[in-house]
Amino acid sequence: MTNQDIGRLLGDVSSHFERPHDIVVSDQFTREQKINLLRHWEHDLQLLMVASEESMTGATPGQTAEQMKAVCDALSALEGLHRPGGPAKVG
């Protein structure tokens, strides 16, 4: 994958992948690229959760929380680290 391709994916990771696990098992990316994609997805979800708390989106909070857990689990698998439980609020 070229840097331009990665940049396009970073713009909206969730629209290009159905599940975070799809990134983990992909052979198209390096480990660092996978972590970068997942971190962008995690950040997007954090912003969505904040917007949801402020009634600025129609997203289902439970669904967003499930996606956040899946992203955190995928990052843990790639980083080989235990990540703190629960999403952090951004803002």
Side-chain angles (χ1 to χ4, degrees):
M1 276 256 132
T2 67
N3 285 339
Q4 185 177 15
D5 292 334
I6 294 294
R8 182 179 48 81
L9 294 175
L10 291 174
D12 188 6
V13 181
S14 65
S15 71
H16 298 284
F17 300 95
E18 186 174 331
R19 302 171 302 146
H21 182 72
D22 297 339
I23 295 172
V24 175
V25 299
S26 173
D27 59 358
Q28 295 181 17
F29 309 107
T30 66
R31 181 178 169 272
E32 291 77 23
Q33 289 171 328
K34 292 176 183 183
I35 289 170
N36 195 20
L37 287 165
L38 289 166
R39 285 189 179 150
H40 272 78
W41 197 342
E42 178 182 41
H43 181 72
D44 290 346
L45 288 169
Q46 288 171 341
L47 294 175
L48 186 59
M49 290 174 84
V50 170
S52 179
E53 287 177 4
E54 296 173 1
S55 299
M56 295 174 60
T57 180
T60 307
Q63 182 182 16
T64 303
E66 287 177 21
Q67 288 177 332
M68 178 65 82
K69 181 179 180 333
V71 169
C72 289
D73 289 347
L75 279 166
S76 293
L78 287 171
E79 294 174 334
L81 303 171
H82 173 71
R83 293 175 54 88
K89 185 173 179 176
V90 175

